[in-house]
Amino acid sequence: MAREFQRGHKAKVSDLTAGTDLYVGVQIAGPGLTFDISCFGLDANEQLSDDRYFVFFNQPKSPEESIQLLGAQAGDTESFRVTLDRVPASIHKLSFTATIDGAGQMSQIGPGHIRIVAGGEEVVRYAFTGAEFTTERAVMLGDFYLKDVWRFAAVGQGFDGGLDALLKNFGGEVAEEEQPQQQAPAAGAPGFAPPPQAAAPAPSFGAPAPQAPAPAPSFGAPAPAPAPAAPQPPQYQQPAAPAPVHAAPTMAAPLAPPAPAPYGQPPQQPSYGQVPGQYPGQVPPPAPAPGGYGQQPSYGQVPGQMPGQVPGQQPGYAPQAAAPGAGLAAALQPYKEAPTGSRWTPQNQQLMRVDLSMGGQAVLARQGSMVLYQGKVDFSYKGAGFAGRIVGNATGQEVQLMRCTGRGQVFLAENGAHLHAIELQGDAICVSAENVLAFDESLQHEVRRIEGHGIPGGALFTMQFQGTGTVIVKTHGVPVVLPVTPTTFADSNAIVAWSAASQVILSSQVRLRRNAYPGHSGETVNLQFRGAPGNFIVVQPYEV
């Protein structure tokens, strides 16, 4: 029986079927609309590094034929044959997309689906309707992705722009206009038959290979009539560079530091955005120090960054300035919102976006962490209950949470801390409450106590998360993840998280003789971690 997926649902392919030779059918239609249905073979960076793995109407198969375009059949607008065990190691994701060829919006489509058939049986189906979209002209329907094993995800994420914009999003190059080649008749089609209608048995290709080799089954279905000439591919044109707004290039800072004003003489009027704390007339540091007095900081400069410091040195800072005359759009291009497609998407190291419409569950986030939201989103107070407040007040692990629900995207951040999404799939992790920013409501969480006489207050408390979902952890700076060994020690004030199966032991270096003399190392209380191979700890370069 086919499993019905909702948007955001994921599963291992091995849990759906034992076969690796799969049929993927896409059904999508709308009044007066024409669709281009494609498959993108993406690398580990989710980029189309090899355009031979862009399978569409003008390139119907990949080089080794692990991905084949079959055409419209059995009630599907388009269909593919995917042989996962033949996909090369350089391909980590197969993304199936649908785009509107011409005018129209995805909100105009009727009920549709993407389904997987294996061994003659439909094993999974993700259904969607136009009510889930608005002005989008493209949609990412579903993905096969490699995460230790092949998995399938129902995406259903709208994307503004047509096929050319989607191609650019995956890093593909826009080709010049070419005349489409005439498709050959279906005489060379694979020997297996397409999935028939519900009343007829489903195809048998895609089942696990039998012990003895056997010829591919042929159901005797008549070959479909030759399709009309392939439609004209999208006319990809490189956008012309915008005309410069000013006759002379705009300067963000003087080309050379101006000469300092004589002592006691009022200096020239400082520019807007001058570094706080710089005194009027202060002599700027000599070259190669940062730029001189009055220089305006770059867009996106972090407070405390010296004027003239090369931007782009750390993620989230302003990159190098655009070429003179490039225009406002080019200057803001590096700061555009990251493409959608996942429930949790980092925009940069300090900003995380969650799409509440994916997964169908609420998010619990630290109060005050929302910096922006789009769509219809409701925020409500999430109380811990009387027992929870007692535990939180006694342990210091109480987190003031808000519950985010609705259909939209919420952007979360807090004080410029680095954010990290940790996905749990039935396993558990311990995280200090101080380092928790948000998590899926589906996760179970509780407070755990680590006793020790050397710890201020007599104990260390942590929160344990377990189940299926994602927890967002915040750190001061970039953390380090280390495997747990018998000689692994961590400062109790710098530890962020560790695997729940690890054993935690208090290790104190306080000695009576050492305390008899003034001064000591200051590192008196540490935590020792023990556990089987596979356990880990996360430490930040900062002591709380």
Side-chain angles (χ1 to χ4, degrees), residues 209-221:
Q211 297 298 328
S218 177
F219 300 104

Side-chain angles (χ1 to χ4, degrees), residues 16 50 62 105 124 145-146 157 211 284 293 303 312 358 407 488:
L16 302 174
D50 189 340
S62 60
Q105 300 176 352
V124 66
Y145 65 100
L146 188 61
Q157 182 62 47
Q211 297 298 328
Y293 167 82
M358 301 181 65
R407 299 185 64 85
T488 300

Side-chain angles (χ1 to χ4, degrees), residues 110-128:
H113 66 253
I114 179 172
R115 61 175 181 151
I116 301 175
V117 176
E121 179 183 358
E122 184 177 309
V123 295
V124 66
R125 173 186 291 252
Y126 162 51
F128 53 86

Side-chain angles (χ1 to χ4, degrees), residues 4-10 106 109 125-134 136 139-141 153-158 340-343 355-361 406-409:
E4 295 289 341
F5 270 26
Q6 302 296 324
R7 178 188 292 182
H9 282 188
K10 305 175 183 178
M106 284 295 173
I109 66 173
R125 173 186 291 252
Y126 162 51
F128 53 86
T129 65
E132 303 177 25
F133 310 105
T134 54
E136 298 93 335
V139 61
M140 293 176 277
L141 299 172
V155 179
Q157 182 62 47
T340 57
S342 301
R343 177 171 169 83
D355 192 339
L356 298 177
S357 59
M358 301 181 65
Q361 57 183 330
R407 299 185 64 85
Q409 298 83 38

